[in-house]
Amino acid sequence: MEEDDKKLLDDKPLVEDDTEELEDPELVLDCVPREAEQKAGLGSSCPGIEQSKDKQKQRLTAQEKRQACLLRRDLSHLDQLHEEKDLFIQKTRGELRACRRRMELLVKQQESVAAEIAAERAANNMAAMGRLEAASRRLCSELKNERDLQAQMMAVLQQSQSALWQIEVQEGQLEDARKSAQEEAAAARRGLQERAAKQLHREMGASGKAERNRLLRARRCVHLQKELGLRQQKLVEEAQKNHRKALRFLKASLGRIREQEQKEELETREHMRRRMDAVLALKNSISANRETLRKFQAWGQAKTELAEQKAQAEKKAILAQGGDAFKHLCHQRRRQELEAQNRAFEEEQKRRKQEIVSRLLKEEAVEDQRRPRPEPPRPAGQRSLRDQTWSYVATFCDGQSTDQPDSQSSPLLTAISSESVQGDGSLGGEDTLAWPEIPGLWKEDYKPFQVSKEDVDRKPVGGTKMDKDILARTMQRLRSGVIHKQVASGREFRGCPFNSKPKFIHFKDFDVGKVYKKKITLINATYTINYCKLVGVDESLQDFIHVDFDPPGPLSAGMSCEVLVTFKPMINKDLEGNVSFLAQTGGFSVPLKCSTKKCSLSLDKELIDFGSYTVGETAIRTITLTNTGGLGTKFRFLLASETCEMDTSQSVLKLSSTFTYEDKSLYDKFTTSFSEHQMEGNESSPTDVPSQKESGKLDVKEQEEGHPIESEGVTLTTIMTIPPNEEQMEFSLGETTEGDIGPFSSIKVPVIFTPIVPGTVQNSFKVVFKNQQCPTLYFKVVGVAIDVPVWVPKPNVDLKICMYDRLYQDSILVHTRSKAALRLKFEVCKELRGHVELLPETGYIQALSSYSVQLKFLPRHSLPEDAGKYFDKETRVLEAPMTIRVADQIKPVGFTVHAVVTTSDLELSPAGLDFGYCTIYEAIRTQISLCNHSLLPQEFGFVGLPKFVDIQPNDGFGTILPLETLQLDVIFQPTKAKEYNFELICKSEINRCFKLACRAVGVYPPLELSHNQIKFAATSLYDTSVATLYVINSHLSMNSLTHSVPRIGSEDAFPVGPTSFEFLLPPDSPITISPLVGTVWPGKRCLVRVAFRPVLPSELIHQEAFQALSRKAEVKLSQKETVTQRKDQRRPSFSMLRLQNQDRLLRASASQPPELQKEDLASSSQEYQSAQASLTRSFQGKFDKFVVPCVVASGNTKDRKGTEPLSFSPHNTLYLELWCPAVAPSIVVTSDKGKTVINFGDIAAGHRGIKKVSIQNISPEDLDLEYSVLNPDGPFVLLNPTIRLPSGETQVLDLSFSPRESVVAQEILDIITKKGTLSLALMGTGVASTITCSIEGDVLNMGYVIARESVSLGFKLQNNSPLPIKFSMQLDSLSSRSRDQHRLPQFLASPDRRTEVVGTQNYSGQSVFSVVPVEGVMEPGKAQDFTVTFSPDHESLYFSDRLQVVLFEKKVSHHILLKGAAREHMMFVEGGDPLDVPVESLTVIPAFDLEHREEAEELKPILVTLDYAQLDPDTQAPPATRELQVGCIRTTQLSAKKPDHPLLASALLQLRGDVKETYKVLFVAQVVTGP
């Protein structure tokens, strides 16, 4: 049945769904009646529920409750089924009515079609009749389907009505049970109302109690305010009194300070006057001694010249004797140096001896003044300290060994050296200390040591204003050559040139005799390069401070250098001073301070408030005494009214006793007697007393030496308890009241409060110390004694932080000391009765026991208004007073409930989100803020999210801290094209909901991308990564019922047809897309290629190139300045020269870059390519993300008119996301400054040029190399490809360029690795080697030559190419003889086939023709002269040869034909018919001697054939003529002296015709020589 329904109702999906839903209720109805009947039977089996009211009040058993629950569930289930069936029947009836209307419509259409068929049949229109008959058949089938559907729906309707009737019958059976359930619910509601009324009555009573408690607390607050006012007035009066006393002491102290400053000013002026006089005297002395210095210089120069002359004479003498002069001079020089060293050592020994003696004499004079009485007699044989000292000095000066001193000198050395004085050292030995060797301050007639006036004059003190001006000008002139102003970019540097880190050098808590070191860092704070030089330390610190500083040379701005400061204390006294430095821009100093060990004692509190305690209780508080100084002392706790004198008496006359740091003055006196020579001219400054509350930290070095940090090592010497009396019985101290407190330690002393009499008790205590420099510390103790029998141990109940509308509970414990039971009544103030509750309200506490009451706190939102003064709206703090009223007791017991009430609100901002238009292929991310206004952290979560919405991070769940604002990302990705309106619900952990309204418009674009995101692999610089994708047009039909069609929201669908797209690339991006614009037809797709090629920005490369040019310019300028200064005759000092050079360099560097920046570097320039290679090697990597929009428009790009753009819709835009990581190349070019363009330049065609390229693997792993295929027919070849390149190694590649013709060639060679590709651009130009010859026609005729003589002619070859050309000259007679020796002789061949150009050759085997030079090189644009020589050795008219011009030993450029003839005599006759052949015969012509040569020559005939023909007998015919040529050859031979006879030659003339005649012709010639 379902299959038939689906066939009939394909276009009615609602009917189909409803039909399927009918199956489930029918299955349920089969089983529901049985269960309902059983439960109805159970309900009817209990008639007592309806009839008897007494039985209804009884409690139901567990079985009856379960049955009642099942009955209610079945009733609700039946109601639900009834509603579903009723709704389904209404829908079915509606569908049935629609079906009937369609049937009526189909019947009407059939009638109209039948009428049309009749009309067309009458018109005999067969085509229309066929169409109408087909429509009639279709209507009949549809009508039949509708009737079937109507029948099915009627059946279904009847079944549904039957099921509904069954449900109604079942509900009627269960009607009684339904009524009983309703009555039970009404009774339960009435019970709840009664309980609510009782609870309201109880709360009203509690509010009355709270109001009474409030009035009591108000009275108590007024009383406390009066007491506080009296106490505050008393404190103000005491403060005013102390202020008047302090003001009086301050005025006295200021007066003394002013007097001291005036006295110091007078002394400074006097000292400055003396210093000025000394400077003027020194200047006059220098002027007076200048001439003497010149004389000494001249004398020294003359002495030097004399020594040189003497040395030359000795050298000549040694050379004359045959010795080694150089060796002798070396030995003599070494001997002189040794003698100079010996003299210097002896002088140093004498000087040290004098210093020791003078020091001893000075100490002896001081001892004589301080000696109190005559020295006691010493034991015989014992030497005094002075004798021992003189013995030691004499031994040291005489060079004796002091490695094993006697037993008596060891304590002497220990006593003299101030560096060896330790905390507990004694002189030892057998010397008695009753009368010391060195009398000290205990002498009766002791007078303080006075610094002599001469020493005082040397101290640098102030002077008058004029003196200061003169001194300032003098110092300015002296330093003018050292200090220079520093100006950079038009600004002059002012201030301290170097910053010290740390700024203050502090040696804290030092021990005498130990060495302390600290390192500081000086940082150049100027604009440019600066220098730093150590000047020294103050005069008062020179004996204790040593500075190690190695000048680092020029320091750039921001650079630093280190300074090591070593402190070796010799006296236990505070020291202050400066470490001075000198920079190029001026001097500066670093403050230095050395602090001795001191006591710094403090108490952690000055007032101890015990609060309220009942009489008989005992409370203990602790007070802590802390020593943050490096010196320990004894302490004692006393009452403020008691007096106590600490035992400060200690024998200072016995050096053998323990010497501690507590007696600081004794230590100073002892060390001063031994180090007085180091303190001359210095006045000891008063010891700084640290503040009472100064906090110190233990140094790391002191921790290593074992100084305790805590109070573990403190030894308590006295344990006492202050005896109580009538006034101070309440307060007492613990057992620890007296003892020793060590350095950096603390002592905790308990203070006990035992109240005896009710009331307020207070007392004051003090802490006294043995060290007189430590002030007495005071603290006050206050307590209140009460006698209430009932008390609360926790008078303050802290509920921490609470939220509104949340219940918080706590238990309050009440104690009693009464021996009888008491009735307690707990009251809450009236304002807070709606928020706070104490349960129970009344209770009884047994004797000497405790009672617990429950506190419930449920804050409402009306708490700020209800609580009134008990609630602070700004801090949200609630202080709720609670009262416990005890029967038969006037004074109630109170306690306070503290709580911080906060809200639980979470705020979402903005209040609404509008995502706008979004395609189904993309997602929109928007940020929202979630703010927690609560003071407690809250857990939150976004629940019930639609499938097209996502919230990150953590899927919208997390914990938000108090008052924190979180940023959340809401991601919206539509699934279909429609308008979206939805809400985001955020729930907190207490189930509070916060909503955020959102709306958006989904767009289904007509085109789609196969990939919306492309992640390129890590691509090296100047490498290319390629990815492909498709632009797909899947829009084929406008039928929205079969599939989704492209549209914007709920607008009209996009038309079907060709659709165009265009990618909009961002400017200056390394992305290339091809094609950018295209058209995709329906059902087709277009391939798009996306390429990513990272490059360095041209601005960055230009900046690097300009910096390189600036550095080169600075170097050139520096070299030029250096050369100029060397030529200068006046050579300044090295420091001045360095400063001048630096200033010039700074000026040059400041002025040079603007000029260079004006120039524009081409990308092919060497500087540009070098900068590009440098930046490529140092590239650290970069990641870019690009979003490329692709706009879509309807239509074809070819159909638009001209440049008219297509109508692109911004809502149909697609987006392509590109992830582009760029990394440094794994392989770089190291040769030629890293250039990747290999230019071979101009290479002659047919030749080869080779370039070597070095590549280096800069990646951390080995790489396998592959190479792209070069053009096999091209001129470029890789000669040595390498397969593997290890990490960090360099490989050299050989590349060759062999052009075959004149062409400009260019190819790309890719070196491919797994990490990237290195592209090398190969460039080269093939140049044809062209030359021109000065011979026209390429034939050189040498003319006639007398045999065995020679003649020479010259010609030129011009090089017209831009390259030098190597040439060679080859003759065919010399090069082709080996090839032609097996050929048929030329004279045997016919004259027509003779192609050889090599004619008659010499009989001697030598070449007839020769040319010079044979080979060489012709420079570009130059011409080369050649000389051809013709040298025949016999007579012939057929000498010939061919000369070939061969370039680069390969190419033949020109063929030059060489011809010549030879005669035996100077005169010759030629002409007539030829009688010989032009080539040599196989036989060799015999060589005639000179005597018979003439006879042989006379036999040579000349055949002259004359053809005379007379055609007309009447006319006389012209005579037959032939020409014979007579020539004369110029010769260089001398003619023999012969008689001057004419030359005779005869010839036979034969006439052949009708008549044969013979004539003899005689030729006579006279040879006349020319001038």
Side-chain angles (χ1 to χ4, degrees), residues 1219-1260:
W1219 290 18
C1220 305
V1223 297
S1226 57
I1227 296 180
V1228 296
V1229 178
T1230 58
S1231 59
D1232 199 12
K1233 298 182 179 180
K1235 297 179 181 178
T1236 57
V1237 178
I1238 314 302
N1239 192 351
F1240 288 86
D1242 296 334
I1243 301 296
H1247 291 72
R1248 184 175 68 174
I1250 297 178
K1251 287 278 187 178
K1252 295 182 180 295
V1253 180
S1254 299
I1255 58 174
Q1256 183 182 6
N1257 181 5
I1258 60 175
S1259 63

Side-chain angles (χ1 to χ4, degrees), residues 42-182:
L42 291 175
S44 62
S45 64
C46 299
I49 297 175
E50 301 176 354
Q51 299 174 1
S52 180
K53 295 183 180 179
D54 297 336
K55 292 181 180 181
Q56 289 180 357
K57 296 181 180 178
Q58 297 177 358
R59 302 178 66 182
L60 296 176
T61 62
Q63 183 68 19
E64 292 174 347
K65 289 183 179 180
R66 186 175 65 82
Q67 291 177 357
C69 181
L70 294 174
L71 182 60
R72 287 193 297 270
R73 188 186 65 182
D74 292 340
L75 289 173
S76 63
H77 183 62
L78 286 174
D79 293 340
Q80 183 179 2
L81 289 177
H82 187 275
E83 291 178 0
E84 291 179 355
K85 284 297 179 182
D86 192 8
L87 180 62
F88 181 71
I89 289 172
Q90 292 178 4
K91 289 183 179 179
T92 307
R93 288 174 178 173
E95 293 293 336
L96 185 59
R97 288 192 295 271
C99 182
R100 288 173 179 172
R101 286 195 298 269
R102 288 196 298 271
M103 291 175 62
E104 293 176 357
L105 181 62
L106 290 174
V107 170
K108 292 179 180 179
Q109 290 180 357
Q110 278 185 341
E111 293 176 356
S112 63
V113 168
E116 291 180 0
I117 290 174
E120 295 297 335
R121 184 178 289 120
N124 198 16
N125 189 352
M126 302 305 295
M129 287 177 61
R131 178 175 57 79
L132 293 174
E133 289 177 355
S136 177
R137 288 193 297 272
R138 180 176 59 80
L139 291 174
C140 291
S141 64
E142 288 180 358
L143 184 60
K144 182 180 179 182
N145 292 338
E146 292 294 336
R147 288 172 179 171
D148 295 340
L149 179 61
Q150 182 181 5
Q152 291 180 2
M153 294 177 69
M154 290 292 292
V156 170
L157 184 59
Q158 291 177 1
Q159 293 177 2
S160 300
Q161 288 177 352
S162 177
L164 182 62
W165 294 338
Q166 293 178 5
I167 293 172
E168 290 177 351
V169 170
Q170 187 69 26
E171 287 180 348
Q173 293 175 359
L174 300 177
E175 185 67 26
D176 295 337
R178 185 188 304 274
K179 291 181 180 180
S180 63
Q182 292 176 357

Side-chain angles (χ1 to χ4, degrees), residues 854-866:
Q854 192 72 18
L855 171 65
K856 292 186 177 181
F857 179 51
L858 182 60
R860 313 288 184 182
H861 285 281
S862 61
L863 179 64
E865 290 75 18
D866 297 344

Side-chain angles (χ1 to χ4, degrees), residues 861-1133:
H861 285 281
S862 61
L863 179 64
E865 290 75 18
D866 297 344
K869 62 181 180 180
Y870 302 122
F871 184 77
D872 190 349
K873 294 184 179 180
E874 294 183 358
T875 60
R876 298 179 177 270
V877 176
L878 175 66
E879 295 184 358
M882 304 294 163
T883 305
I884 303 175
R885 296 194 178 275
V886 185
D888 300 332
Q889 180 178 324
I890 299 175
K891 184 178 180 180
V893 179
F895 65 94
T896 307
V897 177
H898 297 269
V900 178
V901 185
T902 182
T903 182
S904 60
D905 292 343
L906 297 178
E907 181 184 358
L908 289 170
S909 62
L913 286 181
D914 187 2
F915 293 96
Y917 293 87
C918 179
T919 64
I920 62 174
Y921 304 120
E922 63 175 339
I924 295 180
R925 182 191 300 267
T926 304
Q927 277 196 348
I928 62 173
S929 299
L930 178 62
C931 181
N932 181 15
H933 295 286
S934 175
L935 298 178
L936 290 175
Q938 297 190 69
E939 294 182 357
F940 68 92
F942 287 85
V943 297
L945 294 177
K947 294 183 179 180
F948 47 81
V949 175
D950 186 18
I951 299 179
Q952 294 297 330
N954 299 328
D955 297 329
F957 291 85
T959 302
I960 183 169
L961 298 179
L963 304 177
E964 183 186 12
T965 300
L966 292 180
Q967 299 293 333
L968 302 176
D969 293 332
V970 181
I971 304 172
F972 170 71
Q973 185 173 10
T975 57
K976 58 178 67 176
K978 67 174 185 178
E979 296 182 357
Y980 291 85
N981 290 286
F982 56 92
E983 287 185 344
L984 301 180
I985 301 175
C986 176
K987 280 192 175 183
S988 63
E989 59 181 340
I990 60 175
N991 205 25
R992 291 195 62 188
C993 297
F994 305 93
K995 297 182 179 181
L996 178 64
C998 304
R999 68 187 191 92
V1001 177
V1003 179
Y1004 186 1
L1007 297 181
E1008 61 178 302
L1009 300 177
S1010 60
H1011 298 85
N1012 292 318
Q1013 186 184 61
I1014 297 178
K1015 296 181 179 180
F1016 288 101
T1019 307
S1020 303
L1021 285 178
Y1022 300 99
D1023 194 4
T1024 303
S1025 296
V1026 180
T1028 58
L1029 57 93
Y1030 290 94
V1031 180
I1032 305 172
N1033 186 356
S1034 58
H1035 184 30
L1036 301 175
S1037 172
M1038 294 290 291
N1039 188 0
S1040 61
L1041 300 177
T1042 58
H1043 63 280
S1044 299
V1045 295
R1047 68 174 71 227
I1048 299 175
S1050 58
E1051 297 179 4
D1052 296 337
F1054 198 85
V1056 178
T1059 306
S1060 300
F1061 66 88
E1062 180 179 359
F1063 289 94
L1064 304 178
L1065 286 175
D1068 300 332
S1069 63
I1071 303 299
T1072 304
I1073 298 179
S1074 177
L1076 279 176
V1077 182
T1079 302
V1080 185
W1081 292 85
K1084 304 296 182 180
R1085 63 180 184 177
C1086 178
L1087 178 64
V1088 177
R1089 178 180 179 274
V1090 183
F1092 167 54
R1093 185 175 185 270
V1095 296
L1096 292 173
S1098 59
E1099 296 81 4
L1100 184 61
I1101 300 176
H1102 278 85
Q1103 183 180 0
E1104 181 69 17
F1106 288 141
Q1107 291 179 0
L1109 292 175
S1110 301
R1111 288 193 293 269
K1112 290 182 180 179
E1114 291 178 3
V1115 171
K1116 290 182 179 179
L1117 183 60
S1118 177
Q1119 294 177 354
K1120 184 177 180 181
E1121 294 288 342
T1122 304
V1123 173
T1124 306
Q1125 291 171 359
R1126 287 179 180 176
K1127 294 180 180 180
D1128 193 2
Q1129 296 180 356
R1130 298 180 180 179
R1131 299 180 181 271
S1133 63

Side-chain angles (χ1 to χ4, degrees), residues 507-527:
F507 294 96
K508 187 178 180 182
D509 297 336
F510 63 83
D511 291 330
V512 175
K514 296 183 180 179
V515 179
Y516 302 88
K517 296 183 179 180
K518 281 196 176 182
K519 186 178 291 184
I520 63 173
T521 303
L522 299 180
I523 304 173
N524 183 10
T526 59
Y527 300 144

Side-chain angles (χ1 to χ4, degrees), residues 1342-1452:
M1342 305 299 294
Y1344 288 88
V1345 181
I1346 297 177
R1348 291 171 298 278
E1349 289 188 4
S1350 62
V1351 65
S1352 298
L1353 292 179
F1355 65 93
K1356 290 184 179 181
L1357 294 179
Q1358 179 75 28
N1359 183 7
N1360 297 326
S1361 64
L1363 296 175
I1365 297 177
K1366 182 180 180 181
F1367 65 89
S1368 62
M1369 314 299 287
Q1370 296 181 3
L1371 293 172
D1372 285 359
S1373 60
L1374 299 179
S1375 60
S1376 62
R1377 183 173 302 172
S1378 60
R1379 299 193 303 266
D1380 299 340
Q1381 60 183 353
H1382 299 294
R1383 293 183 180 180
L1384 190 65
Q1386 199 68 30
F1387 64 89
L1388 296 179
S1390 62
D1392 299 334
R1393 298 180 180 178
R1394 294 175 183 172
T1395 58
E1396 294 294 334
V1397 294
V1398 179
T1400 304
Q1401 299 296 317
N1402 288 333
Y1403 294 152
S1404 61
Q1406 295 182 355
S1407 177
V1408 180
F1409 299 94
S1410 63
V1411 60
V1412 290
V1414 178
E1415 60 184 11
V1417 177
M1418 283 186 288
E1419 298 298 330
K1422 300 296 181 64
Q1424 179 69 39
D1425 294 330
F1426 295 89
T1427 302
V1428 179
T1429 303
F1430 176 47
S1431 303
D1433 62 353
H1434 64 281
E1435 181 179 358
S1436 177
L1437 300 178
Y1438 306 107
F1439 288 105
S1440 65
D1441 207 340
R1442 183 170 61 183
L1443 178 64
Q1444 297 181 1
V1445 181
V1446 182
L1447 305 181
F1448 301 105
E1449 300 179 357
K1450 294 181 180 180
K1451 177 182 178 182
V1452 178

Side-chain angles (χ1 to χ4, degrees), residues 1508-1517:
Y1508 177 78
Q1510 185 175 3
L1511 299 177
D1512 189 4
D1514 298 332
T1515 305
Q1516 184 178 0

